[in-house]
Amino acid sequence: MTAFKKQLFFLLMLGFHVSSAQKFSIDPTVTYQTMHSFGASDCWSMQMIGRYYPIEKRNKIAELLFSKEVDATGTPKGIGLSMWRFNIGAGSTEQGTESKITNEWRRAECFLENGKYDWSKQQGQQWFLEAAKRHGVDFTLGFLNSAPASMTKNGLAIGSGRLGEWNFDKSKVNEFANFLTQVSAKFAFDYLSPFNEPQWDWGPKSKTGFGSQEGTPINNEDIAWAARKLDKTFGESKLKTRIVLTEAAQIDYLYNSKTNRSEVNQDNQIEAFFDKSSKNYVGNLKSVEHLICGHSYFTTSPTDELVKKRQALGDKLSQQNINYWQSEYCILGDNAGEIKGNKVDFGMKTALYVAKVIHADLTHANASAWHWWLSVSANDFKDGLIYVSNNGVKGENDTNKFDGEIIESKLLWALGNYARFIRPNMQRIKAEVDSEKVLVSAYKSQNQVVVVFVNNAESQRMELPILRKNQKVNAFVTSQTENLAHWKISTNSIELPAEAIVTVVIAY
């Protein structure tokens, strides 16, 4: 038995114990998914910030999102994201108000215009993409909300408003495939996600005739058809970028065949794309990654529904033997009265709520990746990790795009309790705690175990295992008063602060 296995066996035998009849234990011999990444996207603010903001503020935002360095106290300078998501625009910016997207911040430039590529487009986003690479972010992904407007049926980057009707001119599929090949090769994306939330109509609002952002619906048959075309072009170009599907708008659409999208063939996507008997099977395509992506929106409250739906998703994933990425989430709606999406909250209420969602996605759905929506927001909404200026974009003439105050949220650091320490290729291991107020998950690598506690109750003490005399134990705490603060642990116990997320790192 190797020294590492002996230490894990000792850890198993010891377990974790807490006072007041609460018990916590881990079993490193019981393993689950291999972790891939924690990420966030550059929609939509990064184009403005990366292009117009002073360099020192851009560098500060990049440090907060990407850095794996620590300060003199051992506290992380940033949350160390391992995935950066780049929005490949469809050209609504060039169309201006004719795009029928009212908010300038929600439009996006396109690299292809009048048949020619202009790689100076999306320069603000490019700045942060390069910053991510400088900081050593492990993976990059390019994603589309719409095909370029020059390739759509209506000449716009928003849909017609009819469910299941893909706003795309199929006669231009070769041009579309070449566009994605050129962009993926130019920026060396590890992954490409060509379809986003295909279950929504993404059309103009009936009263105004304007839409909110680039987007288009698409049914399963068209997704499979397009994926085959892309796979052929990627193969001919010997492109290393991997295609990921399908960014489902809700996780129900991944595993359920009896939803409100059944008639337009937009649900049951796990079976549709990865069951060999399905006419839309794409699991044999060389460029398609053997995983499926979904968004956790509208399925997180109340808690019993949060758990139930992720268990159902996990069961279906297991049946088809494919991996799962939770690839986008922020707080929308009123969530059964538990928390509302509107109005910014920089505090622990939002941080703890999202930590609960992360925990459920990782432990019940076995997500190997977890990605937040907006890395930086200029909205009065619970959609950002970092906020700029007065938290409200007023329209095209708003001056926030040129400069603004940078405001960190507790949510930023709460995500860091996961992202900074659970690194690619770590394995989730069995962890249990005898408390309804404390959530726990654990992960191992070759030389350490990482344990994440989400404490929704009053402060309480946890005993820590002694693996050997020279082991190193460190904790990182996000609470009302601390932002991923480093605690060096010299005893065999730790006090979890009230309403806090605490990551314990046990190094061998």
Side-chain angles (χ1 to χ4, degrees):
M1 184 181 291
T2 66
F4 179 67
K5 288 183 177 179
K6 286 180 180 178
Q7 291 158 7
L8 288 182
F9 179 75
F10 188 30
L11 177 60
L12 171 61
M13 296 301 292
L14 275 172
F16 280 62
H17 303 281
V18 297
S19 59
S20 303
Q22 292 184 8
K23 295 181 180 179
F24 166 61
S25 64
I26 63 174
D27 185 346
T29 67
V30 178
T31 59
Y32 304 99
Q33 74 270 32
T34 297
M35 300 306 298
H36 182 273
S37 60
F38 289 85
S41 84
D42 68 358
C43 264
W44 289 283
S45 306
M46 300 313 248
Q47 171 63 6
M48 299 297 190
I49 294 168
R51 183 173 182 178
Y52 298 119
Y53 271 44
I55 188 65
E56 63 272 13
K57 291 188 177 180
R58 282 181 271 160
N59 281 329
K60 179 59 178 178
I61 290 172
E63 179 182 69
L64 290 171
L65 294 171
F66 308 135
S67 177
K68 295 187 286 289
E69 296 181 354
V70 297
D71 64 18
T73 70
T75 295
K77 294 181 178 180
I79 66 172
L81 294 178
S82 45
M83 170 73 85
W84 186 239
R85 300 173 62 92
F86 182 100
N87 176 32
I88 301 171
S92 53
T93 293
E94 289 86 346
Q95 294 179 323
T97 56
E98 296 300 316
S99 69
K100 295 190 179 299
I101 298 173
T102 56
N103 191 332
E104 180 185 14
W105 285 61
R106 291 194 173 206
R107 302 173 192 154
E109 295 177 342
C110 185
F111 293 115
L112 184 62
E113 189 173 17
N114 298 321
K116 295 182 179 180
Y117 286 93
D118 182 352
W119 299 117
S120 69
K121 295 293 183 69
Q122 298 189 250
Q123 63 178 264
Q125 293 172 246
Q126 288 193 55
W127 190 93
F128 279 100
L129 178 63
E130 290 303 313
K133 293 178 179 180
R134 288 197 305 271
H135 280 278
V137 171
D138 300 82
F139 305 105
T140 59
L141 177 148
F143 70 97
L144 284 76
N145 292 320
S146 166
S150 61
M151 303 177 196
T152 64
K153 289 179 180 179
N154 62 9
L156 300 172
I158 64 171
S160 64
R162 291 182 289 274
L163 284 173
E165 184 177 304
W166 187 16
N167 185 28
F168 179 70
D169 181 351
K170 288 188 175 181
S171 69
K172 297 183 178 180
V173 67
N174 291 333
E175 185 180 349
F176 180 54
N178 184 65
F179 169 75
L180 293 181
T181 300
Q182 294 293 326
V183 175
S184 297
K186 169 67 177 178
F187 298 107
F189 290 132
D190 297 291
Y191 301 96
L192 175 77
S193 178
F195 312 109
N196 178 64
E197 297 190 343
Q199 292 84 10
W200 302 151
D201 63 50
W202 296 118
K205 296 178 181 179
S206 58
K207 291 184 179 181
T208 65
F210 285 79
S212 62
Q213 66 171 84
E214 296 183 347
T216 179
I218 179 172
N219 63 37
N220 292 347
E221 186 175 358
D222 283 337
I223 289 175
W225 175 81
R228 294 180 186 119
K229 297 290 186 180
L230 291 174
D231 175 70
K232 183 176 183 294
T233 304
F234 278 26
E236 291 171 348
S237 302
K238 297 182 179 180
L239 190 67
K240 294 181 179 180
T241 303
R242 308 288 295 165
I243 298 169
V244 297
L245 303 171
T246 60
E247 306 276 1
Q250 293 181 195
I251 63 172
D252 316 63
Y253 299 133
L254 294 177
Y255 65 85
N256 197 337
S257 61
K258 298 179 180 180
T259 74
N260 57 355
R261 295 298 184 271
S262 298
E263 291 185 5
V264 287
N265 190 26
Q266 292 179 316
D267 60 3
N268 201 26
Q269 292 189 316
I270 293 173
E271 285 190 15
F273 300 124
F274 292 101
D275 190 308
K276 292 181 180 179
S277 65
S278 170
K279 66 178 182 179
N280 295 319
Y281 178 65
V282 296
N284 60 336
L285 301 182
K286 292 182 179 179
S287 297
V288 173
E289 193 78 354
H290 199 68
L291 63 83
I292 201 156
C293 301
H295 299 172
S296 279
Y297 296 121
F298 307 115
T299 61
T300 61
S301 296
T303 299
D304 59 344
E305 285 294 302
L306 170 77
V307 172
K308 179 182 177 181
K309 292 191 173 186
R310 279 146 189 82
Q311 289 175 338
L313 172 58
D315 289 343
K316 182 58 71 75
L317 291 163
S318 179
Q319 291 170 18
Q320 295 297 331
N321 192 30
I322 63 169
N323 292 324
Y324 170 59
W325 288 1
Q326 192 296 121
S327 53
E328 183 183 312
Y329 180 69
C330 72
I331 297 177
L332 299 178
D334 68 1
N335 299 284
E338 294 180 349
I339 190 169
K340 294 183 178 181
N342 64 335
K343 300 299 180 182
V344 169
D345 169 32
F346 302 122
M348 288 301 297
K349 180 178 180 179
T350 296
L352 287 166
Y353 185 89
V354 173
K356 180 178 71 170
V357 175
I358 296 173
H359 174 84
D361 285 327
L362 298 183
T363 62
H364 295 297
N366 290 317
S368 58
W370 202 93
H371 302 159
W372 181 256
W373 175 218
L374 299 185
S375 55
V376 180
S377 173
N379 306 312
D380 189 12
F381 208 86
K382 298 178 182 68
D383 57 0
L385 301 175
I386 301 166
Y387 289 82
V388 292
S389 201
N390 62 1
N391 315 317
V393 176
K394 306 302 182 185
E396 288 188 0
N397 296 321
D398 185 76
T399 58
N400 292 1
K401 71 179 183 181
F402 299 112
D403 197 1
E405 181 186 2
I406 298 170
I407 308 168
E408 303 167 23
S409 71
K410 290 293 180 180
L411 173 58
L412 169 74
W413 298 108
L415 179 58
N417 278 94
Y418 290 91
R420 178 63 179 78
F421 306 101
I422 304 169
R423 305 307 301 175
N425 296 317
M426 294 186 79
Q427 275 191 302
R428 188 170 71 84
I429 60 178
K430 185 177 181 180
E432 295 180 336
V433 64
D434 186 19
S435 172
E436 294 182 356
K437 296 294 186 180
V438 179
L439 304 173
V440 65
S441 59
Y443 312 80
K444 71 175 182 179
S445 66
Q446 287 299 311
N447 57 8
Q448 65 180 18
V449 166
V450 173
V451 183
V452 183
F453 295 98
V454 181
N455 181 24
N456 286 283
E458 65 280 354
S459 63
Q460 51 195 298
R461 184 161 292 278
M462 293 278 183
E463 292 185 11
L464 302 176
I466 301 174
L467 303 181
R468 61 185 185 186
K469 292 182 179 179
N470 60 345
Q471 75 176 17
K472 295 181 180 179
V473 181
N474 293 277
F476 300 86
V477 179
T478 300
S479 66
Q480 293 285 0
T481 59
E482 297 180 290
N483 294 332
L484 213 58
H486 173 231
W487 292 4
K488 189 172 182 179
I489 307 300
S490 58
T491 66
N492 65 340
S493 66
I494 181 174
E495 182 92 11
L496 301 182
E499 298 185 330
I501 302 109
V502 179
T503 300
V504 176
V505 180
I506 306 169
Y508 303 112

